[in-house]
Amino acid sequence: GQAADARAKMLVYRAAGFEIFTHIDLPKTLTSVNVALITDAAVQAVPMATGLWPSDHDRSPRSLTQLRLLQDHLMKENLGFLPNFDVMIPDELRRASEVLDALDFAAERSAQTGQAVVALYPSTEVLDVLRFWLQHSNHRDSVIAPLSAVLTR
């Protein structure tokens, strides 16, 4: 079924060196108990996950204490946390021109801020466009690195 197919894809991605981040739904208030339960559930659902990021609809403000609690727990579990990203290339984005535009936007953002995080589903089509962009882009100083290169664990 779909779960077996997803597991097979994740094994291929991990073998290729990709990092797998999965969405999590965070409650408005974080406690050591619900952080542990949420993290355990996410890792059980996606055992090859290397990190977590909040679901798209999660925009709840959190105190520094709550975020530190989450970060400390994830560090103990050897998981990264991505609170936000600059560009999302969704699976349904199939036109090469749209992917190229998204990558150009990320490169421009990186030139302004020093880095840009692009979240994407590594389909064959998107990876082909990414390779093309790396070879032919006007942003020759751009490099692709795994999230672990920019996240603190």
Side-chain angles (χ1 to χ4, degrees):
Q2 189 174 11
D5 184 47
R7 181 174 171 74
K9 284 182 181 179
M10 282 187 276
L11 288 170
V12 170
Y13 296 152
R14 290 299 295 141
F18 290 110
E19 295 178 342
I20 300 170
F21 277 62
T22 185
H23 281 149
I24 55 171
D25 290 315
L26 294 171
K28 288 186 181 189
T29 302
L30 298 174
T31 67
S32 58
V33 172
N34 67 16
V35 164
L37 291 172
I38 291 164
T39 303
D40 290 348
V43 171
Q44 284 180 13
V46 185
M48 288 80 139
T50 53
L52 310 171
W53 79 45
S55 63
D56 295 336
H57 61 272
D58 183 358
R59 299 289 180 247
S60 301
R62 306 241 164 30
S63 71
L64 290 177
T65 303
Q66 288 185 21
L67 292 174
R68 186 66 182 179
L69 177 75
L70 177 62
Q71 182 182 14
D72 287 348
H73 181 78
L74 294 176
M75 193 180 325
K76 281 192 278 187
E77 299 293 324
N78 200 28
L79 293 169
F81 182 67
L82 177 65
N84 206 351
F85 49 85
D86 299 290
V87 177
M88 172 64 150
I89 300 177
D91 186 32
E92 56 273 358
L93 196 64
R94 293 289 184 192
R95 290 187 25 217
S97 61
E98 294 173 326
V99 175
L100 290 170
D101 287 345
L103 293 169
D104 283 339
F105 175 82
E108 290 163 14
R109 172 74 135 228
S110 177
Q112 295 168 355
T113 64
Q115 69 183 30
V117 176
V118 178
L120 59 87
Y121 176 83
S123 66
T124 302
E125 296 87 358
V126 170
L127 291 177
D128 287 345
V129 173
L130 180 59
R131 284 185 200 97
F132 176 86
W133 183 85
L134 284 169
Q135 293 173 354
H136 303 285
S137 169
N138 292 331
H139 305 280
R140 296 286 175 158
D141 55 342
S142 294
V143 295
I144 303 298
L147 280 172
S148 59
V150 295
L151 294 179
T152 306
R153 287 192 183 224

